[in-house]
Amino acid sequence: MEEDEVQEIKDMSLEEKDLIHRLYRLLGDRWEMIAGRLPNRTAEEVEKYWKMKEIENFEKNKIYKPICIRLGPSFKFSMNN
C-alpha cells in the first residue's frame, strides 16, 4: 500500500466515513453518486477508502480454522489418569 493511499484514508472525517457507510448500504457501489454527496472527494478516493476498510475488516475478522488430524484406530482416549 502506498503512503498516498494511507494519507487519503486518514484525511477522511468521521462525518464523511459515516456518510459513506450509510450511502453504501443504500446505493451499493455507486461511487460517483456517493462522491457527489461529499465535497472535494472523487469517486476514486471514496472507492479506495471503501476497499481499504474492507481489507482491514477482513483481516481483523479472519477466522483461522484448526488443522484436523484423523486419529488412527489405535488411539485410545480416556478420562482416567
Side-chain angles (χ1 to χ4, degrees):
M1 177 172 26
E2 292 181 12
E3 191 174 316
D4 294 336
E5 291 175 1
V6 173
Q7 190 63 32
E8 287 175 8
I9 292 172
K10 288 181 181 176
D11 288 344
M12 291 272 184
S13 69
L14 291 176
E15 292 82 14
E16 287 176 315
K17 291 176 183 180
D18 181 55
L19 187 58
I20 290 170
H21 285 273
R22 287 189 289 129
L23 288 173
Y24 184 82
R25 280 195 306 254
L26 182 67
L27 302 171
D29 61 355
R30 296 180 183 161
W31 306 118
E32 296 274 337
M33 292 180 76
I34 294 171
R37 297 286 183 181
L38 299 167
N40 302 322
R41 294 288 179 188
T42 64
E44 291 79 24
E45 285 177 315
V46 174
E47 185 176 6
K48 277 184 190 177
Y49 163 77
W50 188 260
K51 298 287 184 192
M52 295 310 296
K53 284 298 177 184
E54 272 187 346
I55 290 169
E56 287 176 10
N57 287 338
F58 176 76
E59 289 296 321
K60 185 172 65 174
N61 298 326
K62 192 180 230 182
I63 297 173
Y64 295 96
K65 294 183 180 180
I67 298 173
C68 295
I69 299 173
R70 184 168 287 204
L71 301 173
S74 62
F75 179 79
K76 305 237 190 259
F77 177 78
S78 110
M79 297 293 285
N80 302 330
N81 291 339

